[in-house]
């Protein structure tokens, strides 16, 4: 079972790397980093901070977009176009297939994020700005990418249309960044029914805003190791859960 | 997967446990962070109009809302770094007719940053752009009076507010009182008499008190002045107040507001009123 | 372990319905299909387009789940993934990952099939040659023609020397040379002892290749049996080709030839007599078996369709 799983992972990686969307998004990220100096000229913030913040934001945004698009296309398109048929007729379980896809995607994202991070760190070093403070932000961004990609995979496995999967993934991403404000809403709600719904949503969504430690990175504040560790555990837990859900949904699907 | 059907369920349980545990820890150990973001992307002067992208009032609104969050929550040492810029330059230039930011900005400057001049400058800027808003000179007058204890300046602000229709009645009283604080009792008395003349019954009682006390003070001051002149001439205090009248230094001997003559002590030359003051004097 | 006489593939009572668009209505595709394929035979699974052949084969391949019934492959239940090492599947109108070359695709499939790394390259090259794709394996799949895709599909099904091959419309998209090649490959495989289940809607293909056929019609296997059983036992038939004006005889015109069909020895002799007497120019006299198509249409008429 491991053998075919790794074969699928390797193939997914190869296919992702040959997808032009990857390079387009990478180019946009680099462009944004290059333009950050211009942005610094137009605002009151100090230039170092703006370059750092823009760079980190570029990696986060384009990393997420890459993860979402690849995640949806690599599973959803494959089911739609039936290229998965010959693969699934082999001695590989549906779970193994989904997990292999995820690992391949993850590898792609790691490589992509590493390349963007290298460019970013290079830029910082060239400017003489400190590099250490941004490292926790880069790592947690990567963990966030893993979760968002797992989301994309999950929705692809569940829905019949790649477009629907894409929309749901993006919607969940936005909701995941806003979910921290729900407790503020609960205070204003009367009626236990409404509160129950809000709490249910609160616990059902991944809290993606927590992966953002860019503010600390930009201002050179330290992020405790314990927090990084627990945040990573949080991300890993969610990724596993989502991939399992994707596997389960996919295991019962008719592939027509 | 038929041989071990519970494996996915076990892994799922493990994942849920990871999520739960880490969430618990993370909620208990939040990062101390500034909730409203910091001043990275605030447009500078050269870029302001461009930044607005054709919607300067909207941008002014957004920046104002952000500023309230920011200054309300953030307690970092550098929080006043761009205060003037935010309110005086960014918001004011984007939307000069937006009154609230002048008020809030001045409030922060005066009360938190403790920079009265900056606050008054901002309010002056607001007044120049909004001559029909009484609240701006009113606030300025209040700051000048309460924080700066600069009564003439406060009086000038209140006078400006008075000239704008819609100013509340209290401005007149403040205006009148400023002269009192400054020491110009006669002017103050004259203004208070005007207030008394135009006031409704509730205010009339207050105004009457002021007039009463001010009248005493004005009379005492006048008597004191006359006494000093007499003493200059004769080298000693006069024996009685009507001596001043006889010598032509006073037209007549004044009576206090209750109609009683003032009490004069020839030994020390002091004049006091038989009637007590109604208000605490400052 | 199974014995040589046990069926390689056994399907019992397979039932499947598809929900219509927007969950409106249900379309019964399979209504209890029973089928078994014996070791070493070539079984033709036939039926018109839309009869449910592809659905059945997809259920066997594990891509779709039946509502009822069961499938057993080589004695094991159909849901056992390990048994798929010994089964090869060629889907209908196959599509593969466009970004790979043909060779890369086959290597990937070989890896999935469990072919050991040491012999993988050799196996892939062997199969490329066998399906006639040697020299074109470096072409990206998205640039391959339908015929090339079909050949690659057949090659990937043959990876790992499976005992059972399931081929859904293996001849589709091929030109006559290609069809002949595929036919030759299938016959070679049969000679090696591989069991083959193939589906087609072209009955004449099946006639050329299969030992037994089953015809799927309206969700059930209506006709099943060996070709000899189905087609033999009828009267010998003949097809007489004449050139020019056939005179009083009627037949199918093909250019300047006329084909006259006649059944039975006596009728043939009578016809030949008449033709000779009328000085009609004889071109050929060919024995003609009734075709599967004839048999099928007759069966449909019997059912009163």
């Amino acid at each position: 079972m491991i053998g075919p799983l790794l074969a699928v992972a390797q193939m997914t990686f190869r296919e992702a790397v040959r997808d032009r969307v990857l390079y387009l998004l990478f180019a946009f990220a680099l462009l944004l980093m290059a333009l950050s100096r211009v942005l610094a000229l137009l605002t009151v913030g100090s230039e170092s901070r703006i370059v750092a913040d823009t760079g980190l934001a570029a990696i986060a945004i384009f990393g997420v977009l890459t993860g979402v698009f690849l995640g949806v296309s690599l599973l959803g398109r494959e089911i739609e176009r039936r290229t998965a048929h010959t693969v699934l007729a082999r001695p590989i379980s549906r779970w193994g297939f989904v997990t292999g896809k995820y690992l391949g995607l993850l590898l792609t994202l790691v490589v992509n994020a590493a390349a963007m991070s290298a460019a970013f760190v290079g830029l910082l070093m060239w400017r003489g700005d400190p590099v250490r403070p941004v490292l926790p932000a880069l790592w947690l961004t990567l963990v966030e990418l893993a979760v968002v990609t797992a989301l994309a995979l999950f929705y692809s496995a569940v829905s019949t249309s790649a477009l629907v999967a894409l929309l749901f993934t993006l919607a969940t991403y936005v909701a995941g960044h806003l979910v921290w404000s729900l407790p503020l809403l609960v205070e204003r709600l009367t009626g236990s029914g409404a509160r129950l719904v809000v709490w249910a949503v609160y616990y059902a969504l991944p809290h993606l805003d927590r992966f953002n430690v860019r503010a600390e990175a930009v201002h050179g504040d330290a992020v405790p190791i314990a927090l990084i560790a627990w945040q990573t555990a949080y991300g890993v837990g969610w990724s596993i859960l989502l991939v399992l859900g994707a596997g389960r949904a996919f295991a019962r699907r008719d592939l027509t | 997967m038929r041989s071990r059907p519970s494996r996915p369920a076990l892994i799922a349980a493990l994942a849920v446990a990871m999520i739960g545990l880490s969430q618990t820890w993370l909620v208990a150990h939040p990062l101390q962070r500034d909730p409203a973001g910091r001043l990275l992307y605030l447009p500078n002067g050269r870029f302001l109009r461009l930044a607005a992208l054709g919607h300067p009032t909207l941008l002014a609104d957004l920046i104002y809302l952000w500023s309230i969050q920011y200054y309300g929550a953030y307690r970092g040492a550098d929080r006043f770094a761009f205060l003037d810029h935010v309110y005086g330059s960014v918001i004011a230039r984007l939307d000069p007719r937006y009154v609230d930011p002048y008020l809030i900005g001045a409030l922060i400057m005066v009360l938190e940053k403790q920079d009265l001049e900056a606050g008054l400058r901002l309010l002056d800027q607001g007044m120049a752009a909004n001559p029909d808003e009484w609240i701006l000179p009113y606030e300025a007058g209040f700051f000048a009076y309460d924080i700066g204890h600069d009564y003439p300046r406060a009086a000038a602000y209140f006078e400006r507010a008075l000239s704008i229709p819609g100013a509340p009645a209290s401005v007149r009283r403040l205006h009148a009182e400023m002269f009192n604080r400054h020491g110009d009792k006669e002017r103050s008395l004259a203004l208070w008499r005007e207030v008394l003349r135009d006031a409704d019954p509730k205010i009339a009682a207050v105004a009457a008190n002021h007039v009463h006390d001010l009248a005493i003070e004005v009379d005492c001051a006048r008597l004191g002045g006359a006494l000093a002149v007499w003493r200059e001439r004769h080298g000693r205090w006069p024996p009685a107040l009507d001596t001043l009248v006889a010598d032509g230094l006073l037209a007549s001997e004044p009576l206090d507001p209750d109609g009683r003559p003032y009490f004069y002590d020839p030994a020390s030359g002091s004049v006091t009123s038989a009637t007590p003051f109604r208000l605490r004097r400052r | 372990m199974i014995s040589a006489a046990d069926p390689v593939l056994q399907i019992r009572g397979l039932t499947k319905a598809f929900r219509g668009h927007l969950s409106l209505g249900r379309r019964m595709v399979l209504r209890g299909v029973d089928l078994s394929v014996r070791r070493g035979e070539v079984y033709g699974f036939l039926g018109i387009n839309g009869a449910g052949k592809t659905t059945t084969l997809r259920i066997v391949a594990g891509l779709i789940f039946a509502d009822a019934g069961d499938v057993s492959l080589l004695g094991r239940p159909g849901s056992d993934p390990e048994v798929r090492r010994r089964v090869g599947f060629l889907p209908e109108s196959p599509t593969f990952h466009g970004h790979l070359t043909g060779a890369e695709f086959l290597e990937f499939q070989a890896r999935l099939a469990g072919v050991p790394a040491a012999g993988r390259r050799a196996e892939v090259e062997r199969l490329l040659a066998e399906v006639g794709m040697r020299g074109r394996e470096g072409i990206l799949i998205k640039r391959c023609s339908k015929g090339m895709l079909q050949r690659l599909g057949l090659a990937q099904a043959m990876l790992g020397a499976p005992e059972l091959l399931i081929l859904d419309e293996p001849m589709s998209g091929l030109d006559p040379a290609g069809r002949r090649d595929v036919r030759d490959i299938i016959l070679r495989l049969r000679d090696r002892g591989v069991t083959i289940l193939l589906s087609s809607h072209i009955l004449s293909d099946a006639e050329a290749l299969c030992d037994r056929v089953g015809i799927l019609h309206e969700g059930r296997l209506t006709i099943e049996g060996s070709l000899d059983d189905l087609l033999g036992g009828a009267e010998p038939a003949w097809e007489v080709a004449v050139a020019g004006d056939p005179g009083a005889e009627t037949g199918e015109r093909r250019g300047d030839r006329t084909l006259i069909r006649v059944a039975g020895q006596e009728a043939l002799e009578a016809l030949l007599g008449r033709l000779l007497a009328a000085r009609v120019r004889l071109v050929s006299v060919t024995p003609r078996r009734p075709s599967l198509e004839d048999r099928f249409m007759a069966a449909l008429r019997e059912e009163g369709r």
Side-chain angles (χ1 to χ4, degrees):
Chain A
M1 194 50 61
I2 298 292
L5 195 154
L6 289 179
V8 169
Q10 183 185 340
M11 243 272 305
T12 307
F13 176 70
R14 206 186 282 184
E15 188 174 351
V17 161
R18 292 185 191 180
D19 191 343
R20 270 176 294 200
V21 170
L22 190 69
Y23 298 104
L24 197 67
L25 291 172
F26 184 74
F28 270 115
L30 289 182
L31 191 68
L32 190 53
M33 279 190 226
L35 285 179
S36 61
R37 190 142 185 279
V38 174
L39 198 60
L41 281 176
L42 302 173
T43 60
V44 298
S46 88
E47 189 175 313
S48 295
R49 288 182 180 182
I50 290 196
V51 168
D53 191 67
T54 307
L56 286 172
I59 295 177
I61 293 170
F62 290 107
V64 162
L65 283 177
T66 305
V68 169
F69 277 108
L70 282 182
V72 163
S73 73
L74 287 181
L75 189 64
R77 241 178 25 198
E78 198 162 320
I79 297 174
E80 268 182 18
R81 293 192 192 165
R82 307 196 208 157
T83 51
H85 279 20
T86 46
V87 175
L88 288 166
R90 296 281 172 207
I92 182 171
S93 68
R94 301 268 181 116
W95 298 87
F97 181 70
V98 168
T99 309
K101 278 252 162 270
Y102 181 66
L103 290 179
L105 271 176
L106 202 56
L107 184 62
T108 311
L109 285 177
V110 166
V111 168
N112 186 38
M116 288 200 283
S117 300
F120 175 57
V121 165
L123 177 66
L124 288 180
M125 284 168 64
W126 180 66
R127 288 172 48 84
D129 289 337
V131 169
R132 263 198 93 209
V134 307
L135 295 176
L138 285 172
W139 169 256
L140 286 181
T141 300
L142 185 63
V143 178
E144 182 180 358
L145 290 187
V147 175
V148 174
T149 307
L151 263 178
L153 202 75
F154 173 73
Y155 283 122
S156 297
V158 164
S159 83
T160 49
S161 151
L163 180 65
V164 168
L166 181 66
L167 292 174
F168 268 80
T169 309
L170 290 175
T172 310
Y173 175 72
V174 170
H177 275 275
L178 298 175
V179 69
W180 60 271
S181 61
L182 283 179
L184 301 174
L185 178 64
V186 163
E187 286 169 30
R188 293 163 189 269
L189 283 181
T190 54
S192 51
R195 285 175 172 230
L196 205 63
V197 168
V198 172
W199 282 123
V201 173
Y202 183 77
Y203 284 110
L205 284 174
H207 293 222
L208 298 176
D209 61 295
R210 292 218 188 100
F211 292 106
N212 180 356
V213 294
R214 292 199 282 281
E216 281 69 21
V218 159
H219 289 85
D221 296 338
V223 180
I225 297 280
L227 186 131
I228 299 176
W230 279 109
Q231 196 61 54
T232 306
Y234 183 77
V236 169
W238 265 107
S239 300
I240 293 178
L241 198 62
L242 286 167
V243 173
L244 278 179
R248 183 110 202 270
F250 193 57
R252 300 153 149 226
R253 229 173 118 166
D254 278 346
L255 295 172
T256 51
Chain B
M1 282 288 162
R2 287 282 285 278
S3 50
R4 281 193 279 184
S6 64
R7 176 145 52 130
L10 281 174
I11 300 179
L14 176 71
V16 169
M18 270 175 97
I19 296 172
L21 277 174
S22 42
Q23 181 142 337
T24 312
W25 189 95
L26 288 166
V27 166
H29 300 81
L31 273 173
Q32 298 306 318
R33 56 165 36 159
D34 135 41
R38 309 202 193 185
L39 283 158
L40 286 179
Y41 298 105
L42 192 66
N44 69 23
R46 285 174 284 170
F47 183 47
L48 268 182
R49 279 280 135 189
L50 284 174
L53 294 172
H55 297 277
T57 51
L58 177 62
L59 188 61
D61 285 343
L62 291 173
I63 294 180
Y64 175 59
L65 286 173
W66 162 82
S67 77
I68 300 202
Q69 277 267 82
Y70 180 69
Y71 289 109
Y74 178 41
R75 293 281 157 240
D78 60 342
R79 68 189 183 276
F80 299 127
F82 294 100
L83 192 51
D84 293 355
H85 182 72
V86 170
Y87 289 102
S89 187
V90 173
I91 302 179
R93 294 249 179 85
L94 284 174
D95 189 1
R97 307 275 308 172
Y98 194 10
V99 174
D100 292 344
Y102 296 114
L103 297 172
I104 297 288
L107 194 74
I108 299 172
M109 287 174 189
V110 173
L111 295 184
E112 300 206 13
K113 193 186 176 192
Q114 318 212 318
D115 184 347
L116 175 68
E117 288 308 314
L120 292 178
R121 260 201 313 276
L122 181 64
L123 288 169
D124 287 340
Q125 190 181 345
M127 283 181 244
N130 299 277
D132 52 342
E133 290 285 345
W134 59 263
I135 186 81
L136 292 163
Y138 180 79
E139 282 278 303
F142 215 88
F143 285 138
Y145 151 52
D146 194 38
I147 307 293
H149 307 295
D150 185 340
Y151 305 115
R153 203 168 174 190
Y157 279 125
F158 286 134
E159 188 163 334
R160 182 169 176 166
L162 274 176
S163 67
I164 300 172
S170 56
V171 182
R172 287 182 70 184
R173 301 197 286 281
L174 282 163
H175 183 228
E177 187 60 12
M178 289 304 104
F179 290 103
N180 177 31
R181 298 292 174 96
H182 186 55
D184 187 346
K185 307 278 179 175
E186 290 182 357
R187 182 89 194 272
S188 185
L189 177 62
L191 290 168
W192 271 112
R193 283 206 168 111
E194 277 179 26
V195 172
L196 179 61
R197 187 186 63 214
D198 301 333
D200 64 55
K202 270 200 308 240
I203 305 298
V206 170
N209 290 340
H210 280 273
V211 165
H212 175 271
D213 290 358
L214 279 168
I216 294 175
E217 284 184 318
V218 166
D219 283 348
C220 287
R222 218 157 28 97
L223 284 170
L227 283 168
V229 168
W230 201 94
R231 193 187 165 169
E232 270 282 337
R233 290 187 193 167
H234 300 107
R236 57 187 163 87
W237 295 114
L241 288 177
D242 43 12
T243 319
L244 298 169
V245 178
D247 279 359
L249 286 167
L250 282 179
S252 60
E253 189 176 331
L255 295 174
D256 73 18
D258 290 348
R260 283 183 269 179
Y262 286 96
F263 180 72
Y264 170 62
D265 174 15
S268 62
S270 70
V271 175
T272 48
S273 116
T275 312
F277 286 118
R278 290 186 188 166
L279 303 167
R280 241 175 345 130
R281 300 320 285 165
R282 257 174 271 203
Chain C
M1 283 325 291
I2 56 166
S3 75
D6 288 353
V8 165
L9 166 66
Q10 180 135 347
I11 300 174
R12 271 192 290 250
L14 215 58
T15 311
K16 181 69 183 173
F18 284 111
R19 268 202 306 271
H21 214 56
L22 300 175
S23 299
L24 294 170
R26 274 158 57 94
R27 192 167 62 88
M28 284 293 286
V29 178
L30 302 175
R31 300 166 202 265
V33 175
D34 297 314
L35 193 157
S36 44
V37 180
R38 299 183 200 129
R39 182 168 289 277
E41 71 172 350
V42 179
Y43 187 103
F45 190 40
L46 311 174
I48 57 174
N49 279 334
K53 304 189 301 296
T54 298
T55 304
T56 309
L57 294 184
R58 282 191 183 148
I59 294 177
V60 172
L63 298 173
I64 300 180
F65 302 100
D67 295 338
D70 62 79
V71 172
S72 82
L73 285 162
L74 298 163
R76 320 265 314 135
S79 53
D80 180 0
E82 278 309 302
V83 76
R84 302 193 182 286
R85 274 185 212 286
R86 300 145 73 190
V87 176
F89 177 62
L90 169 62
E92 180 197 6
S93 297
T95 52
F96 310 124
H97 302 89
H99 298 104
L100 300 179
T101 66
E104 283 173 341
F105 168 68
L106 283 179
E107 289 213 25
F108 168 58
Q109 289 284 350
R111 197 168 155 193
L112 286 179
V115 176
R120 224 176 271 160
R121 187 79 244 191
E123 170 92 346
V124 165
E125 294 198 347
R126 181 181 70 82
L127 285 169
L128 282 169
E130 185 148 7
V131 300
M133 283 288 289
R134 168 165 287 162
R136 297 188 283 177
E137 69 266 20
I139 299 178
L140 285 178
I141 284 182
K142 60 185 173 189
R143 303 220 173 91
C144 284
S145 69
K146 192 151 192 286
M148 290 159 75
L149 286 179
Q150 197 71 22
R151 290 168 194 270
L152 282 174
L154 192 54
Q156 65 85 27
M158 287 158 61
L159 282 167
E163 294 168 44
L164 167 67
L165 269 180
I166 302 174
L167 311 174
D168 196 346
E169 308 269 358
M171 315 282 217
S172 85
L174 293 175
D175 60 15
R179 292 155 69 87
R180 196 191 49 216
D181 288 343
V182 169
R183 202 188 61 202
D184 291 343
I185 295 170
I186 293 175
L187 290 173
R188 271 207 298 276
L189 287 167
R190 188 189 60 182
D191 292 341
R192 285 184 222 155
V194 179
T195 311
I196 299 175
L197 165 64
L198 63 87
S199 81
S200 182
H201 62 277
I202 301 175
L203 299 179
S204 49
D205 284 344
E207 266 184 85
L209 282 172
C210 302
D211 303 320
R212 280 200 312 146
V213 300
I215 303 186
L216 189 67
H217 185 59
E218 291 188 347
R220 263 182 280 265
L221 210 62
T222 50
I223 300 168
E224 196 193 39
S226 72
L227 279 180
D228 284 334
D229 290 342
L230 290 179
L231 302 178
E235 280 190 306
W238 308 91
E239 185 174 271
V240 178
V242 301
D245 178 16
E249 310 301 328
T250 53
E252 190 185 329
R253 283 212 68 95
R254 292 232 186 117
D256 69 335
R257 302 223 193 288
T258 311
L259 302 175
I260 307 163
R261 294 197 181 95
V262 65
Q265 191 73 21
E266 287 151 23
L268 175 69
E269 286 171 3
L271 172 68
L272 287 176
R274 290 199 296 281
L275 289 173
L276 285 171
R279 291 197 179 293
V280 177
R281 202 156 59 104
L282 266 186
V283 174
S284 64
V285 176
T286 320
R288 206 174 137 266
R289 275 168 61 140
S291 74
L292 199 50
E293 197 176 324
D294 298 335
R295 181 75 180 81
F296 179 52
M297 299 307 287
L300 286 181
R301 277 193 297 274
E302 276 166 30
E303 285 193 18
R305 186 177 171 221

